[in-house]
Amino acid sequence: MQPLSSSVRQPAGLREILLALLPRIRFNSPFFIRLRHWEYWPFAVVYFPIFIYHLWLSIKARSLFFFSAANPSIETGGLLGESKIDILDLISDEFKPKTLFVPADTHINDVFAQIDAHGLTFPLIAKPNVGERGWRVEKLEHWEDLVNYCQGSPVDFLIQEYVDEPLELGVFYYRFPGQVQGVISSIVQKAFLTIRGNGQNCIEELIMQNERAILQLPALTAKYGHRFHEIPAPGEVITLVPIGNHSKGTTFLDANHLITPGLTRVFDRISAPIDGFYYGRYDLRTRSMADLYAGRHIRVMELNGAGAEPAHIYQPGFSIWEAWNVLVSHWRVLYDISRENHRRGVAYMTLSEVVRIWRRIQRNK
């Protein structure tokens, strides 16, 4: 048999195929960025073990909806479909920004009149009265932004004064029924999505060097596309997204080292007047750590109930196993508080109530 000519191409092996494909694979693509970091994984994937644990707790409580008793003054206990304005109304004016409730289809002139009557000035924050994960939360800089938001909003929404304080935190707090002192179990500090100029790269190039910004590329292109060619000065910081939401690119940092007995007493004072609240997370802004510990200049933008997360788990590099451990321990606390409130006469939601709320949520969407 004659030897094969060297000009005849040999079948490529697996190694050669992979080496040929590697240059074509973009490891900074949104797919690979999400794959490498569990904090971006789909909600259903991250929460699957918690769903199994919820079923076990439901068997013990004899109700799938035991969580609804955790916060009797909040619809569903704050797990889904709750009204943000109803919850804010429970908080002392000392600790919250001015907030207006705007029903859907309100005429723009009526919105202007409310803003003038309450002495609000731009910038403002607009957000749906019922919503989650940053859906339609926007910073409004001018009247034109407000007009566009009003005309484009399909649901009731809130207009809130913009709290221009440097520190944004999420403080997870719970207290057992009948007790005066509560527990701060989690603090997350939020770092907004920014880029820093180096005098060489344009805005588009700086965005493409930031994995979090890459995940927000469609929204950033719509907002900054006309400025992509600009080259920021060395050291110039541009805040790309001024909304402190993880789904909008904000970095969540573990700040549990801030927890002290004194800080717990501050949140005991904030929480005590809120009748029927025992479990949830305060999303707030404050001027400084000294003001936080003194209970001054604290503005609560939102208070989330049973659906709140101890958000420090989204610290980059935080182990998924440790995150599951933290979530399980918080669901155990949620169960214990709900069971105690139920023992004291608070009813669990019924299936018909859940169906009604679910249909309302879907209709609003």
Side-chain angles (χ1 to χ4, degrees), residues 250-301:
T250 298
T251 304
F252 280 13
L253 304 172
D254 184 344
N256 284 350
H257 61 279
L258 301 177
I259 300 173
T260 66
L263 187 60
T264 301
R265 286 192 292 271
V266 168
F267 280 87
D268 286 337
R269 180 164 66 89
I270 295 173
S271 304
I274 308 176
D275 186 43
F277 167 70
Y278 297 97
Y279 178 98
R281 188 188 69 238
Y282 290 95
D283 290 334
L284 60 90
R285 276 192 163 190
T286 188
R287 190 166 298 174
S288 66
M289 291 309 306
D291 283 319
L292 180 70
Y293 286 123
R296 300 188 305 258
H297 304 299
I298 293 174
R299 293 294 179 268
V300 176
M301 286 89 72

Side-chain angles (χ1 to χ4, degrees), residues 63-65 348-358:
S63 171
L64 279 170
F65 316 116
Y348 297 142
M349 279 193 309
T350 63
L351 179 59
S352 62
E353 290 174 322
V354 172
V355 170
R356 173 180 56 80
I357 293 170
W358 180 254

